[in-house]
Amino acid sequence: AQLGDITIAPRKLAGCTSHGMCCSEKELGLSDNNDGILDITEDVVIGTDVKTLWQIDDIVFEVDNKSLTNRPDLWGHYGIAREFAALAKRPLKPMDVVDLEQYKNLPAIDMKIEDPLCQRYSCLTVENITRNVAPMNMRIRLFYCGMRAINLLADLTNYLMLEMGQPMHAFDSRKVEKIRIRKFDTPFAFKTLDGVERHIDENTLMICNGDEPVAIAGIMGGLDSEIVDDTTSLTLESACFDPVSIRKSAARMSHRTDASQRYEKTLDPEMTVTAIARFVKLLQDIDSGVKVISSLTDDYRRSYERKTLVIDKAYVDRYTGIGDAITLKHIETTLKALGFEVARDHDTFTVKVPSWRATKDVTLKADLIEEITRIYGYDNFVPQTAVSPLYPVRKEQEKSMEDNLKDILVKRFSLHELHSYVWAYHDEYKKLGMEVEDNVKILNATNPNLETLRRSIVPTQLCQVKLNTGYAPEFGVFEIGRVVKGLKDNGLCDERKLLAITLFSKTASVKELYFRLRDMIAVAVHEFKHKDLSFQAMSAAHSYQHPKNLNA
């Protein structure tokens, strides 16, 4: 056999051949305890399978973490089991609990919530505890989940947290008599169960024995009230705290725990009493002599609004788009399997959201669509064409001409295309010795540099060319852009779309560049208008134009 790094094989030991090996819990992969050989105290027949003896099995389910992050009900195995039951169309086994009503005539615990950050606080006292070590199968399961076995009572609270997602805390009853949930006006140091002193400020909620703090609410208990080997009675806490408060407190003291991570997700306050009933059931199964000596003391300050949503089959069909593939029966059975209360009237469903989904989760009708479709399976959606036919959009003639012109200038003449704004930038023009021409202005412009609309693209390109002269000895740029040439008779801007080309060279003369430019324009005109160019002298229309070159 191969046990981790250890190979079990016949070998000589004290002169005899040994065909086996007695192992510790760590060597068997059952815990991290390597103190000595595992002692099986149960009365079992030789050859009994360990899986049968301790009711364990190494089955691993890989669950995508995105499904857990915002679902506090899935931070416990029972919530995951509910999802599996719905997917497998099998009934979910009910939680095995005791009836706490039988203890209602017992004395109540002296407990009081003094701060509204505690939404609900439930507690119960149990005595005559004789066992200190949790059963082997429970310790193994905790180890498989990454937790270290401590003692029976601490292990039970961790087990319930993993099973239900509800953090709990067990106080030694000898050290806790009057429970008060409050904050303190002045900061102080507090030693937690891990032996570390934590800084408690005035915003941190504490659990106190009278005025003496014994635990940081929702994060970790105190060292002075922990369960020890001779503990025979406990006061069990199952509570719900404000998620934002717990998250901020854990962040301030840089101490996130398994409990605080769950409280941060906004837990269901309805779960606190069920968790106590489950704890008592497990404790009684393990230690039959335990005795409950108090009634369930429960202060429920703030609950979450329970939503009731109404949807019909037409609404489901409109959102899913797959018609009768999702039947009325599937809608009803899926929602019921996930814990929703459903009342059906023909094709209309009145759905009551369960408490564990009412904490910032299912609030809209569209949320119910997600529940229905994810259980149906997104992979089962058959792709369908749209109801309305889709036709390709025809390009406008002007757009086609622009694209073809750009192709010619880029592919044949190696020009670079520019994209610029329609403003006449005063600061940039001034650097080149040009004045901004009078034109349409924006009223109440916040930036004088972006006040006037341009009459020509040329100054814009000259500014851009000036910024790029150091990158290449010669290049050419172009832009098909908009300019505004005053106002029309109807008071609207006389807006036009023009082509501007600028050529730059450190070696070629202005005459050579001029003829290159002429050839580009001639090709474009012949390509689109099927005509040859004609030339005529013109007068300067802009201050930056050279009067002699215009008449050359």
Side-chain angles (χ1 to χ4, degrees), residues 469-495:
T469 54
Y471 293 102
E474 67 176 36
F475 57 84
V477 296
F478 77 93
E479 179 179 1
I480 299 175
R482 298 182 182 275
V483 299
V484 175
K485 297 193 175 183
L487 298 176
K488 295 187 287 188
D489 295 338
N490 60 4
L492 298 178
C493 289
D494 184 9
E495 184 176 335

mmCIF file of all heavy atoms in Angstrom, residues 469-495:
data_model
loop_
_atom_site.group_PDB
_atom_site.id
_atom_site.type_symbol
_atom_site.label_atom_id
_atom_site.label_comp_id
_atom_site.label_asym_id
_atom_site.label_seq_id
_atom_site.Cartn_x
_atom_site.Cartn_y
_atom_site.Cartn_z
ATOM 1 N N THR A 469 7.037 66.276 -36.831
ATOM 2 C CA THR A 469 8.153 66.457 -37.765
ATOM 3 C C THR A 469 9.425 65.729 -37.330
ATOM 4 O O THR A 469 10.314 65.473 -38.142
ATOM 5 C CB THR A 469 8.468 67.958 -37.936
ATOM 6 O OG1 THR A 469 8.697 68.537 -36.641
ATOM 7 C CG2 THR A 469 7.322 68.686 -38.632
ATOM 8 N N GLY A 470 9.547 65.400 -36.069
ATOM 9 C CA GLY A 470 10.754 64.727 -35.586
ATOM 10 C C GLY A 470 10.717 63.223 -35.740
ATOM 11 O O GLY A 470 11.696 62.550 -35.437
ATOM 12 N N TYR A 471 9.622 62.665 -36.208
ATOM 13 C CA TYR A 471 9.486 61.214 -36.274
ATOM 14 C C TYR A 471 9.862 60.616 -37.626
ATOM 15 O O TYR A 471 10.126 59.419 -37.715
ATOM 16 C CB TYR A 471 8.048 60.806 -35.919
ATOM 17 C CG TYR A 471 7.694 61.083 -34.480
ATOM 18 C CD1 TYR A 471 6.926 62.192 -34.145
ATOM 19 C CD2 TYR A 471 8.144 60.252 -33.458
ATOM 20 C CE1 TYR A 471 6.598 62.460 -32.820
ATOM 21 C CE2 TYR A 471 7.830 60.513 -32.140
ATOM 22 C CZ TYR A 471 7.062 61.616 -31.822
ATOM 23 O OH TYR A 471 6.750 61.885 -30.517
ATOM 24 N N ALA A 472 9.855 61.421 -38.702
ATOM 25 C CA ALA A 472 10.167 60.897 -40.031
ATOM 26 C C ALA A 472 10.641 62.043 -40.918
ATOM 27 O O ALA A 472 10.186 63.183 -40.753
ATOM 28 C CB ALA A 472 8.952 60.209 -40.640
ATOM 29 N N PRO A 473 11.532 61.776 -41.888
ATOM 30 C CA PRO A 473 12.014 62.862 -42.770
ATOM 31 C C PRO A 473 10.933 63.374 -43.702
ATOM 32 O O PRO A 473 10.976 64.523 -44.135
ATOM 33 C CB PRO A 473 13.157 62.201 -43.540
ATOM 34 C CG PRO A 473 12.888 60.734 -43.464
ATOM 35 C CD PRO A 473 12.221 60.502 -42.148
ATOM 36 N N GLU A 474 9.949 62.545 -44.050
ATOM 37 C CA GLU A 474 8.812 63.021 -44.835
ATOM 38 C C GLU A 474 7.613 62.095 -44.642
ATOM 39 O O GLU A 474 7.775 60.904 -44.356
ATOM 40 C CB GLU A 474 9.166 63.120 -46.316
ATOM 41 C CG GLU A 474 9.440 61.814 -47.028
ATOM 42 C CD GLU A 474 9.677 62.044 -48.511
ATOM 43 O OE1 GLU A 474 10.279 63.072 -48.875
ATOM 44 O OE2 GLU A 474 9.252 61.182 -49.298
ATOM 45 N N PHE A 475 6.449 62.691 -44.757
ATOM 46 C CA PHE A 475 5.213 61.917 -44.624
ATOM 47 C C PHE A 475 4.065 62.764 -45.156
ATOM 48 O O PHE A 475 4.209 63.973 -45.428
ATOM 49 C CB PHE A 475 4.951 61.515 -43.169
ATOM 50 C CG PHE A 475 4.872 62.661 -42.199
ATOM 51 C CD1 PHE A 475 3.691 63.372 -42.021
ATOM 52 C CD2 PHE A 475 5.983 63.040 -41.453
ATOM 53 C CE1 PHE A 475 3.613 64.416 -41.121
ATOM 54 C CE2 PHE A 475 5.915 64.095 -40.551
ATOM 55 C CZ PHE A 475 4.727 64.790 -40.391
ATOM 56 N N GLY A 476 2.918 62.134 -45.295
ATOM 57 C CA GLY A 476 1.718 62.835 -45.722
ATOM 58 C C GLY A 476 0.540 62.418 -44.869
ATOM 59 O O GLY A 476 0.447 61.268 -44.444
ATOM 60 N N VAL A 477 -0.373 63.341 -44.585
ATOM 61 C CA VAL A 477 -1.554 63.060 -43.775
ATOM 62 C C VAL A 477 -2.786 63.556 -44.513
ATOM 63 O O VAL A 477 -2.717 64.457 -45.366
ATOM 64 C CB VAL A 477 -1.459 63.726 -42.388
ATOM 65 C CG1 VAL A 477 -0.304 63.149 -41.579
ATOM 66 C CG2 VAL A 477 -1.331 65.233 -42.503
ATOM 67 N N PHE A 478 -3.928 62.952 -44.175
ATOM 68 C CA PHE A 478 -5.191 63.417 -44.764
ATOM 69 C C PHE A 478 -6.310 63.209 -43.770
ATOM 70 O O PHE A 478 -6.206 62.421 -42.825
ATOM 71 C CB PHE A 478 -5.492 62.673 -46.068
ATOM 72 C CG PHE A 478 -6.021 61.282 -45.851
ATOM 73 C CD1 PHE A 478 -7.391 61.034 -45.791
ATOM 74 C CD2 PHE A 478 -5.163 60.198 -45.688
ATOM 75 C CE1 PHE A 478 -7.885 59.747 -45.593
ATOM 76 C CE2 PHE A 478 -5.644 58.917 -45.485
ATOM 77 C CZ PHE A 478 -7.018 58.692 -45.428
ATOM 78 N N GLU A 479 -7.397 63.933 -44.007
ATOM 79 C CA GLU A 479 -8.595 63.780 -43.178
ATOM 80 C C GLU A 479 -9.811 64.192 -43.992
ATOM 81 O O GLU A 479 -9.786 65.182 -44.720
ATOM 82 C CB GLU A 479 -8.508 64.635 -41.914
ATOM 83 C CG GLU A 479 -9.762 64.518 -41.051
ATOM 84 C CD GLU A 479 -9.702 65.330 -39.765
ATOM 85 O OE1 GLU A 479 -8.680 66.018 -39.550
ATOM 86 O OE2 GLU A 479 -10.676 65.290 -38.992
ATOM 87 N N ILE A 480 -10.842 63.402 -43.864
ATOM 88 C CA ILE A 480 -12.164 63.806 -44.368
ATOM 89 C C ILE A 480 -12.941 64.258 -43.145
ATOM 90 O O ILE A 480 -13.381 63.436 -42.328
ATOM 91 C CB ILE A 480 -12.866 62.651 -45.084
ATOM 92 C CG1 ILE A 480 -12.042 62.192 -46.287
ATOM 93 C CG2 ILE A 480 -14.258 63.060 -45.523
ATOM 94 C CD1 ILE A 480 -12.599 60.980 -46.997
ATOM 95 N N GLY A 481 -13.037 65.558 -42.978
ATOM 96 C CA GLY A 481 -13.626 66.110 -41.766
ATOM 97 C C GLY A 481 -14.620 67.204 -42.038
ATOM 98 O O GLY A 481 -14.862 67.592 -43.183
ATOM 99 N N ARG A 482 -15.187 67.709 -40.962
ATOM 100 C CA ARG A 482 -16.238 68.714 -41.071
ATOM 101 C C ARG A 482 -15.703 70.103 -40.703
ATOM 102 O O ARG A 482 -14.888 70.236 -39.791
ATOM 103 C CB ARG A 482 -17.422 68.358 -40.166
ATOM 104 C CG ARG A 482 -18.082 67.035 -40.534
ATOM 105 C CD ARG A 482 -19.276 66.732 -39.656
ATOM 106 N NE ARG A 482 -19.865 65.436 -39.992
ATOM 107 C CZ ARG A 482 -20.758 65.242 -40.953
ATOM 108 N NH1 ARG A 482 -21.175 66.284 -41.682
ATOM 109 N NH2 ARG A 482 -21.238 64.040 -41.197
ATOM 110 N N VAL A 483 -16.224 71.093 -41.434
ATOM 111 C CA VAL A 483 -15.934 72.498 -41.147
ATOM 112 C C VAL A 483 -17.257 73.255 -41.153
ATOM 113 O O VAL A 483 -18.273 72.756 -41.662
ATOM 114 C CB VAL A 483 -14.968 73.105 -42.181
ATOM 115 C CG1 VAL A 483 -13.636 72.382 -42.171
ATOM 116 C CG2 VAL A 483 -15.583 73.106 -43.572
ATOM 117 N N VAL A 484 -17.251 74.443 -40.572
ATOM 118 C CA VAL A 484 -18.443 75.291 -40.538
ATOM 119 C C VAL A 484 -18.086 76.644 -41.145
ATOM 120 O O VAL A 484 -17.140 77.293 -40.686
ATOM 121 C CB VAL A 484 -18.961 75.469 -39.092
ATOM 122 C CG1 VAL A 484 -20.124 76.456 -39.058
ATOM 123 C CG2 VAL A 484 -19.397 74.121 -38.516
ATOM 124 N N LYS A 485 -18.825 77.035 -42.174
ATOM 125 C CA LYS A 485 -18.566 78.316 -42.846
ATOM 126 C C LYS A 485 -19.729 79.254 -42.599
ATOM 127 O O LYS A 485 -20.602 79.477 -43.443
ATOM 128 C CB LYS A 485 -18.353 78.088 -44.340
ATOM 129 C CG LYS A 485 -17.124 77.227 -44.636
ATOM 130 C CD LYS A 485 -16.719 77.247 -46.077
ATOM 131 C CE LYS A 485 -15.416 76.481 -46.302
ATOM 132 N NZ LYS A 485 -14.941 76.524 -47.696
ATOM 133 N N GLY A 486 -19.792 79.781 -41.389
ATOM 134 C CA GLY A 486 -20.829 80.728 -41.014
ATOM 135 C C GLY A 486 -22.185 80.082 -40.848
ATOM 136 O O GLY A 486 -22.296 78.875 -40.600
ATOM 137 N N LEU A 487 -23.211 80.923 -40.993
ATOM 138 C CA LEU A 487 -24.584 80.465 -40.828
ATOM 139 C C LEU A 487 -25.340 80.540 -42.151
ATOM 140 O O LEU A 487 -25.068 81.384 -42.997
ATOM 141 C CB LEU A 487 -25.309 81.326 -39.785
ATOM 142 C CG LEU A 487 -24.755 81.312 -38.354
ATOM 143 C CD1 LEU A 487 -25.521 82.294 -37.485
ATOM 144 C CD2 LEU A 487 -24.830 79.922 -37.743
ATOM 145 N N LYS A 488 -26.296 79.669 -42.289
ATOM 146 C CA LYS A 488 -27.171 79.701 -43.452
ATOM 147 C C LYS A 488 -28.317 80.666 -43.184
ATOM 148 O O LYS A 488 -28.471 81.192 -42.076
ATOM 149 C CB LYS A 488 -27.697 78.293 -43.753
ATOM 150 C CG LYS A 488 -26.605 77.314 -44.155
ATOM 151 C CD LYS A 488 -27.154 75.987 -44.613
ATOM 152 C CE LYS A 488 -27.695 75.185 -43.439
ATOM 153 N NZ LYS A 488 -28.058 73.797 -43.835
ATOM 154 N N ASP A 489 -29.153 80.869 -44.195
ATOM 155 C CA ASP A 489 -30.262 81.826 -44.065
ATOM 156 C C ASP A 489 -31.248 81.418 -42.980
ATOM 157 O O ASP A 489 -31.910 82.275 -42.373
ATOM 158 C CB ASP A 489 -30.995 81.960 -45.411
ATOM 159 C CG ASP A 489 -30.114 82.578 -46.481
ATOM 160 O OD1 ASP A 489 -29.140 83.270 -46.102
ATOM 161 O OD2 ASP A 489 -30.392 82.373 -47.682
ATOM 162 N N ASN A 490 -31.353 80.124 -42.711
ATOM 163 C CA ASN A 490 -32.303 79.660 -41.688
ATOM 164 C C ASN A 490 -31.716 79.679 -40.277
ATOM 165 O O ASN A 490 -32.338 79.213 -39.329
ATOM 166 C CB ASN A 490 -32.784 78.254 -42.024
ATOM 167 C CG ASN A 490 -31.642 77.248 -42.094
ATOM 168 O OD1 ASN A 490 -30.492 77.583 -41.818
ATOM 169 N ND2 ASN A 490 -31.964 76.026 -42.489
ATOM 170 N N GLY A 491 -30.495 80.223 -40.137
ATOM 171 C CA GLY A 491 -29.882 80.359 -38.830
ATOM 172 C C GLY A 491 -29.095 79.153 -38.369
ATOM 173 O O GLY A 491 -28.495 79.180 -37.294
ATOM 174 N N LEU A 492 -29.087 78.087 -39.182
ATOM 175 C CA LEU A 492 -28.320 76.904 -38.823
ATOM 176 C C LEU A 492 -26.903 76.998 -39.374
ATOM 177 O O LEU A 492 -26.634 77.767 -40.309
ATOM 178 C CB LEU A 492 -29.003 75.651 -39.372
ATOM 179 C CG LEU A 492 -30.413 75.374 -38.839
ATOM 180 C CD1 LEU A 492 -30.983 74.127 -39.497
ATOM 181 C CD2 LEU A 492 -30.417 75.225 -37.322
ATOM 182 N N CYS A 493 -25.999 76.228 -38.803
ATOM 183 C CA CYS A 493 -24.607 76.250 -39.262
ATOM 184 C C CYS A 493 -24.501 75.738 -40.703
ATOM 185 O O CYS A 493 -25.161 74.754 -41.075
ATOM 186 C CB CYS A 493 -23.743 75.377 -38.346
ATOM 187 S SG CYS A 493 -23.478 76.065 -36.705
ATOM 188 N N ASP A 494 -23.657 76.413 -41.465
ATOM 189 C CA ASP A 494 -23.359 75.966 -42.834
ATOM 190 C C ASP A 494 -22.224 74.943 -42.730
ATOM 191 O O ASP A 494 -21.052 75.261 -42.916
ATOM 192 C CB ASP A 494 -22.973 77.164 -43.707
ATOM 193 C CG ASP A 494 -22.742 76.758 -45.165
ATOM 194 O OD1 ASP A 494 -23.049 75.592 -45.498
ATOM 195 O OD2 ASP A 494 -22.254 77.596 -45.935
ATOM 196 N N GLU A 495 -22.605 73.712 -42.424
ATOM 197 C CA GLU A 495 -21.622 72.670 -42.151
ATOM 198 C C GLU A 495 -21.327 71.887 -43.423
ATOM 199 O O GLU A 495 -22.244 71.498 -44.164
ATOM 200 C CB GLU A 495 -22.166 71.718 -41.074
ATOM 201 C CG GLU A 495 -21.181 70.645 -40.636
ATOM 202 C CD GLU A 495 -21.729 69.791 -39.509
ATOM 203 O OE1 GLU A 495 -22.601 70.266 -38.761
ATOM 204 O OE2 GLU A 495 -21.282 68.629 -39.387
#
